[in-house]
Amino acid sequence: MMERMEPFASTLDLQTGVMNPASQVLRRYLSGMSDLYADSSAAQRILAEEGVRLIYEVYVVDVPEAEGQVLHSTTIIYPGRIGQEFHMTKGHFHVKRDRAEIYLGLAGTGALLLQTDDGIVRSVEMRRGAVAYVPPLWAHRTVNTGDAPFAFFAAWPGDAGHDYASIEQQGFAKLLVSQDGRAVLIDNPRAR
Ligand code: PA5
Ligand code: NI
């Protein structure tokens, strides 16, 4: 039997994406995800020169990770590039592959990159007010393609789970890179 919870609200700053209260704020640094970027020498150079580079933050609301619940969070990806590749999230499949997700763009500009198990890739533009649907079966990663922080809200089923290992191993078949001042989707030279 499901335990009854008290209703509650969090406050979301619609300009910045900061959520309050948040049970956790996850901070992802380049040092913990440098292998995900195609240009590993650019990543090593930045680490040597800057020491620490914050790529993104996730504000997680305190909801049990269980069937029937709706987990929700906001993500803020800071602007920047590793070589030509824009700052991005690690990306994941849901452990339960048939669980979907909704993203709502709040600030800045970016893209939602999606990939199937057999390597089909799609890209959806994200900006304030864009409501993006991540259907079941698609891995998803977000990318900041602009010069300002890119923030979005996400909601997904409580029993979905995050599978990061598959993306760490296989990578995304496409990359979002800056070319002549534009965001361009290219083939990943390191795709496995
Ligand atoms: O549930 C989601 O898909 C998002 O809240 C992501 O977890 C968030 O954007 C961070 O990305 P990742 O989990 O791939 O590090
Ligand atoms: Ni997800």
Side-chain angles (χ1 to χ4, degrees):
M1 254 277 278
M2 179 172 273
E3 251 182 62
R4 190 165 70 200
M5 282 172 64
E6 283 299 314
F8 67 95
S10 322
T11 300
L12 167 57
D13 183 324
L14 294 168
Q15 309 305 322
T16 63
V18 171
M19 186 95 86
N20 200 358
S23 63
Q24 289 191 70
V25 184
L26 298 170
R27 292 197 166 85
R28 302 285 186 211
Y29 297 93
L30 178 59
S31 53
M33 57 182 297
S34 58
D35 290 348
L36 294 172
Y37 290 94
D39 188 344
S40 47
S41 52
Q44 293 318 313
R45 208 165 43 242
I46 291 166
L47 287 172
E49 282 169 12
E50 298 178 18
V52 170
R53 186 186 283 196
L54 176 61
I55 307 286
Y56 63 103
E57 296 176 313
V58 187
Y59 289 75
V60 185
V61 176
D62 192 12
V63 172
E65 292 192 32
E67 188 179 352
Q69 302 284 356
V70 180
L71 291 165
H72 49 292
S73 69
T74 52
T75 302
I76 304 168
I77 309 177
Y78 292 96
R81 296 195 310 251
I82 310 300
Q84 293 307 108
E85 195 175 5
F86 291 106
H87 282 183
M88 62 187 183
T89 58
K90 290 168 71 167
H92 58 270
F93 283 97
H94 290 151
V95 175
K96 291 196 174 168
R97 292 285 205 273
D98 62 356
R99 299 302 196 258
E101 183 155 0
I102 290 171
Y103 284 176
L104 166 64
L106 301 172
T109 50
L112 165 62
L113 272 189
L114 306 104
Q115 173 163 298
T116 59
D117 258 330
D118 49 357
I120 297 169
V121 176
R122 297 283 183 264
S123 174
V124 175
E125 268 187 50
M126 294 290 296
R127 70 203 120 67
R128 183 175 177 79
V131 181
Y133 186 56
V134 179
L137 305 179
W138 291 82
H140 38 290
R141 157 180 288 166
T142 40
V143 183
N144 184 341
T145 55
D147 299 327
F150 164 49
F152 64 93
F153 174 85
W156 69 99
D159 61 347
H162 290 81
D163 165 16
Y164 292 103
S166 304
I167 291 301
E168 276 162 11
Q169 285 153 21
Q170 76 190 74
F172 265 71
K174 304 265 183 194
L175 310 177
L176 261 170
V177 298
S178 171
Q179 274 181 9
D180 305 322
R182 289 177 38 238
V184 181
L185 196 62
I186 62 163
D187 289 337
N188 182 354
R190 284 172 53 192
R192 285 157 283 224

